[in-house]
Amino acid sequence: MASRAAVAGAVIALIVVIAAAAYVASRGGAPAATSPAAASPAAATTGGTGAASPTAASPVATIQATATAGGLPKKIPIGLAIAVSGGYAVDGPKRLKGAQLAIKEMNDLLAKAGAPFRFVGIHEDTQGNPQKAVDVVKRFIADGIQVIVGPLSTSETAAVMPLANRYHVVVISPSSTGEAAAKPNDYVFRVAPPDSKQGPALATIIYKLGYRKLVIIARNDDYGRGLATLVADTFKKLGGQVKTILYQPDKPDLSAEVTQLAAAVQSFGADKQTAVLVIAFDNDGLQILQKASKIPVLTKVRWFGPDSMARNTFIENPQVAEFLMKVHFLGTRPAIERNPVTKHFEEAYKKMYHEAPTPYAYYAYDAAWLAMLSVLVAGKYNGTAIKAVLPTVGAHYMGATGQKVFDKNGDCAIANYALWTVAKVNGKYVFKTIGMWHDSTKTIEWFNK
Amino acid sequence: MVDWGIILYGTISSLFDGLMVGSLYGLMALGLTLIFRVTRIANFAYAEYITYAAYAAYAAAAALGGVVGAVAAAVTATVVGALVSLLSDEAAFKPLWLRGADSLTLLVASMGVGFILRYSLLGVTALGNLPVQVNIQSVLSNNVLFTVGGLASFQYAHAAAILSAVVVASLMHWLFTRTRIGKAMRATASNPTLARISGINVYAVRRVTWLLAGAIGGLAGFLYGYYNPVNPESGWQTLLWIFAAAIMGGFTFYGALVSGIILGLAEALIGFYLYQFFGISTAYSPVIALLALVLVLLFRPEGVIRLEAHALRRRV
C-alpha cells in the first residue's frame, strides 16, 4: 500500500511540474507571437555572431525581414538557393562558397564603417531539381526574404521565375544561361552570359574552322536542349548539316546513346568536315567521353563543347584527358575579363577555403555582391525597389567577372567567350585558353598563332 | 536512305552494350529477388548496397592498382555489399519482422533505410572533403579487347560483366540444387511456416540470404563502377531497371537474371532501331523499361519468365 501511494505521489508531482513548465513556456512565448515588432530586436540580437558565419542552417524564422519604418533591418537575409547535391554535388559547394565569401567581405566592410546592419546568407539545397528549387524559394518568400542568389541551373531558374514575379522577389542566378529563363521585364537576373549568345557563337566558330557536318549530343533538359537548338539553328543557317541526339541525364547507363552518336558520325562520313558537339554535365559527360574514347570512329573527328564541359572531372582521368587531346577538343566558356577584383577574389577564396575557385564560383561571388549593393542603394529591404536599381548598380559595378551590364531580359549583355582546350603541362592535364571569341565583331582571336 | 553497314555495326555495338548492361541489371535483380522471396521485403534500400560497394571498390582499386587492384576491388565490393546488406537487416528489417510488421511497413522502412544510407554517404563525403563522384576507370584501366567496324568496341568491362553473370548463375544453380542451405532457402521462400516446422533454422537462412543478396549486389556495384562513374545516387537511379527486371522475372531466381539481360538488350536494340529507322529520339529509351514493366503488370503480373519452376522441379 505504502509503495503504491508513493508511486501515485510521484506521478502527481511529475504532472504538476510538467503543467507548471508548460504554463511558464506559454507565457514566455506569447508576446513574441502576438507582436512581431517587439520581438524583432530580440531576434536580431540573439544570433549575435551570425555575421561571422554567413550560413545559418536552421533559424530562418528568427531573422525574418521585419524592416523598421523605411530603413534596413539589422539583419538583412540573402537567400542562397544553391544546389550542393545531385548534378551539382561537385561544383555546387564551390559556387556556394563564392557567394558566402562575398557576404563575409561585405559584413567586414560594414563593420569597418560602423553600419548598424549586417547581411546574413541563408542557404538551402535545391538539389538541382526544379521542384525542390520551387519549394526552397517558397520557404524563402514565406520568411520574408526579398533577394535570392541562385538557383544554378536553367531548369530551376525557369521554375522559380513565376514565384519571383508574383511575390516581387529578386532572383539572381549565378550560372543559368539557358534560353528557357531569358524573359524580359521579370524579377530574374542572370550574371553569366546567356546561351542566346553562346549558341550562335559556338555554331559560327565550328563553321569558321571548316566543319560542315555536326552531330550534337546533349542533355534532354532546358539547358542542353535549348543550347543544342540554338547551335543547330545557326549552323544550318550558315549552310551546315546537323544531327541531334538527346539523352536523359539521370539514366544509369548511356552506352546506347554513344552508339547512336557513333552511327551518326559514321553516316556523315567521319571525315575532315565532320565534328561532334557534346553538351553535358559531370556524371553524364564523363560517361559519354569515357565510352567515346573506346570507339574508333569517334576518335577520328574533332570535338567541341560549351562552358559546361570545362570540368576538372574530365581531365582527372588520364584516359579521358588523352582522348580530349586526341580529338583536339575545343570549348567555349564565358571569358572572365581579368581585373584587380578577379585577382583579389582568387586570393581571398584560396585563403579562406584552401582551394581554387571554379569558373562559376566567380559569378556566384558577383551575384551576391550585386544583391547586397542593390539592397544598400535601394535603402530598403523590398524586392520591387531592389529590382528597380539593380541594372544601374550592375552597369556601374566591376566584379570578379568584369562589368555587369544587363540586356532587356535581365541577362549579362557582355558576352565574349574564351576558347579552351586540354593540354599536358609538366605531366599534368590542364585546361588551356588558346583564343577568344569577340561577340561584337564575330571574330576569333588566337593567342598563339 | 539507310546505310546497312551502320545498321549492322550499330547492332553489334548495341548487342555488346545490351549484354553488358543487361548482365548488371540481371545480377542486381537476382539479389533483390533473393531478399523478396525469402523475407517478403520489396527492398528499396537494395540500390544503396550497390552504391556502397562501388565506392569500396574504388577505394581498393585506388589503393592497389593493376590486376591486384582489380581483384581486390571485386572482393572488397562483394564483402562490403554483403555486410551493408546484413547490417541493414539486423538493424531495421529483422526487428520490424519480429514485431510482426506487414509487407507495406517493411517496404516503407526500406525506403527509410535507403535514404539513411544515401544521405550518410553524402554526409561523409562532405565532412571528409572527399570526392563526391568516383570513377574506377581513372585508377583501373578499362582497355578495349577488340572493335568491330569502327563502331562497336568490346572492353574489359563487357567481358567482366558477362562472365560474372554466367559464374554467379552457375554458382546459384549449384547452391540451390546441391547444398542444404540452398534447399533450405528455397523451402523458406515457398513456405516459411512449413520450413520452420520442418526444423529449418529460418534465422540462419535469413542471414545467409541477406549476405548473399548483398554480395551479388556488391559485385554488380563494382562492375557498374568499372564501366560508369559513380555518385551517391547511382544505385538509386538504377532501381527502376532492377525492379523492372525482377518483376519481369516474376521474382524467380533465374527469371530475374534472364529478364535483366533481355531488358538490357531490348533497351539498347529497340532504342537504336527506333532512332535509325524512324528518327525517334534516344531520350525516350528509358520508356522501354517502364513500358515493359507496365505491360507485364497488366497482362502477366506473375512475371514473363518464371524459370526456376521448370529448372528446379525435377531435382527436388
Side-chain angles (χ1 to χ4, degrees), chain B residues 206-258:
Chain B
R206 195 182 167 97
R207 266 194 295 278
V208 171
T209 305
W210 282 88
L211 277 172
L212 204 60
I216 296 171
L219 180 65
F222 160 65
L223 294 165
Y224 178 84
Y226 186 32
Y227 195 53
N228 287 320
V230 177
N231 62 42
E233 282 164 9
S234 292
W236 172 248
Q237 286 171 350
T238 321
L239 201 61
L240 168 68
W241 282 265
I242 305 177
F243 265 97
I247 290 169
M248 265 173 77
F251 281 104
T252 59
F253 302 130
Y254 300 95
L257 199 59
V258 174

Side-chain angles (χ1 to χ4, degrees), chain A residues 63-424:
Chain A
I63 18 185
Q64 280 205 358
T66 45
T68 48
L72 285 167
K74 284 198 168 163
K75 294 221 171 252
I76 311 170
I78 303 284
L80 303 173
I82 294 178
V84 291
S85 58
Y88 287 104
V90 180
D91 211 51
K94 295 181 175 150
R95 301 182 194 181
L96 175 63
K97 286 174 186 169
Q100 287 172 332
L101 175 63
I103 295 174
K104 183 189 172 290
E105 287 183 353
M106 174 61 102
N107 283 333
D108 289 349
L109 202 65
L110 291 173
K112 216 184 266 176
F117 42 79
R118 297 287 182 275
F119 287 93
V120 182
I122 295 166
H123 173 243
E124 283 210 43
D125 182 8
T126 63
Q127 303 177 15
N129 175 334
Q131 185 52 48
K132 293 270 160 50
V134 166
D135 293 345
V136 167
V137 168
K138 272 186 185 159
R139 278 201 292 279
F140 281 168
I141 291 171
D143 290 333
I145 291 176
Q146 298 288 312
V147 55
I148 295 167
V149 173
L152 300 180
S153 73
T154 299
S155 308
E156 294 169 287
T157 309
V160 305
M161 190 182 271
L163 276 174
N165 291 338
R166 192 180 326 141
Y167 294 101
H168 306 298
V169 170
V170 174
V171 167
I172 309 174
S173 170
S175 55
S176 158
T177 59
E179 269 294 272
K183 299 269 156 53
N185 301 323
D186 58 12
Y187 277 75
V188 175
F189 293 87
R190 303 191 295 173
V191 294
D195 289 343
S196 54
K197 300 242 173 11
Q198 186 173 211
L202 258 171
T204 316
I205 292 165
I206 296 169
Y207 194 85
K208 279 194 172 194
L209 291 173
Y211 299 95
R212 296 292 176 265
K213 292 169 283 188
L214 179 65
V215 186
I216 305 175
I217 181 161
R219 294 168 66 86
N220 186 28
D221 61 8
D222 282 341
Y223 168 75
R225 191 158 12 95
L227 184 57
T229 313
L230 283 164
V231 173
D233 288 351
T234 311
F235 200 76
K236 280 182 202 154
K237 230 175 267 167
L238 290 168
Q241 282 175 276
V242 181
K243 273 189 188 174
T244 304
I245 291 155
L246 297 173
Y247 63 87
Q248 293 300 349
D250 53 359
K251 200 167 161 250
D253 182 81
L254 297 172
S255 324
E257 286 73 2
V258 177
T259 298
Q260 301 283 18
L261 175 69
V265 168
Q266 184 75 288
S267 72
F268 270 159
D271 52 17
K272 288 218 175 319
Q273 291 197 335
T274 313
V276 172
L277 171 69
V278 52
I279 304 170
F281 287 177
D282 257 305
N283 192 296
D284 45 336
L286 191 55
Q287 272 204 47
I288 292 169
L289 295 178
Q290 219 158 249
K291 291 176 205 298
S293 70
K294 309 276 193 291
I295 297 179
V297 72
L298 290 176
T299 59
K300 287 199 294 191
V301 292
R302 187 163 193 183
W303 283 56
F304 293 87
D307 54 338
S308 74
M309 296 301 290
R311 283 172 198 263
N312 287 332
T313 317
F314 302 151
I315 52 171
E316 276 161 10
N317 178 349
Q319 279 186 339
V320 172
E322 281 294 331
F323 170 72
L324 292 174
M325 283 174 60
K326 193 173 178 191
V327 297
H328 303 288
F329 198 95
L330 186 71
T332 51
R333 69 169 167 215
I336 294 174
E337 287 156 72
R338 296 193 66 84
N339 62 58
V341 184
T342 321
K343 199 160 166 264
H344 157 81
F345 166 70
E346 284 167 351
E347 284 166 5
Y349 192 98
K350 263 184 207 147
K351 200 174 151 210
M352 194 151 157
Y353 305 116
H354 309 291
E355 61 179 358
T358 49
Y360 279 114
Y362 293 73
Y363 287 96
Y365 175 79
D366 279 353
W369 263 106
L370 265 182
M372 293 183 292
L373 286 173
S374 301
V375 170
L376 295 182
V377 171
K380 52 184 173 181
Y381 194 59
N382 173 296
T384 314
I386 297 167
K387 181 200 174 219
V389 301
L390 202 144
T392 315
V393 172
H396 291 266
Y397 167 81
M398 178 56 79
T401 63
Q403 208 183 353
K404 292 289 116 182
V405 178
F406 292 101
D407 65 11
K408 64 176 183 352
N409 293 330
D411 296 342
C412 177
I414 300 173
N416 291 338
Y417 290 94
L419 303 177
W420 56 269
T421 186
V422 176
K424 199 172 183 179

